[in-house]
Amino acid sequence: MIRLLLKKQIYMEGGYMLDSSNILIGVLMMMGGLFGMMLSFYIALCFIQWVSDVIEEKRWYVWKEWFSYDN
């Protein structure tokens, strides 16, 4: 009786992830999520580095001249 219930859950895509394709999809989704998180942290760190470079090299002085309307 229990085996029949487990087979029904596998066929109905219900409770347990016992099917190998479901396990593969779950693992791929976890890997994709981790990759997405790493990529977002990398992009955030690149932005922080860019802001640091702008502050350190005082690039806003050049930008100030470009966008000044006092000409």
Side-chain angles (χ1 to χ4, degrees):
M1 184 70 179
I2 293 176
R3 289 184 180 208
L4 183 61
L5 290 175
L6 290 176
K7 284 183 181 178
K8 282 184 182 178
Q9 284 180 343
I10 290 172
Y11 293 136
M12 291 171 45
E13 303 283 331
Y16 300 118
M17 284 185 54
L18 295 177
D19 193 10
S20 63
S21 64
N22 284 343
I23 293 173
L24 181 64
I25 289 171
V27 168
L28 289 176
M29 288 187 71
M30 286 244 258
M31 298 284 284
L34 289 173
F35 178 74
M37 285 175 41
M38 288 189 335
L39 188 64
S40 65
F41 283 129
Y42 177 74
I43 290 172
L45 287 175
C46 287
F47 178 73
I48 290 169
Q49 182 65 41
W50 178 78
V51 169
S52 172
D53 288 344
V54 166
I55 291 171
E56 183 178 333
E57 297 172 7
K58 298 185 172 141
R59 291 185 200 164
W60 66 83
Y61 289 141
V62 177
W63 296 345
K64 195 171 156 184
E65 292 175 7
W66 289 351
F67 295 114
S68 67
Y69 297 111
D70 297 334
N71 295 335

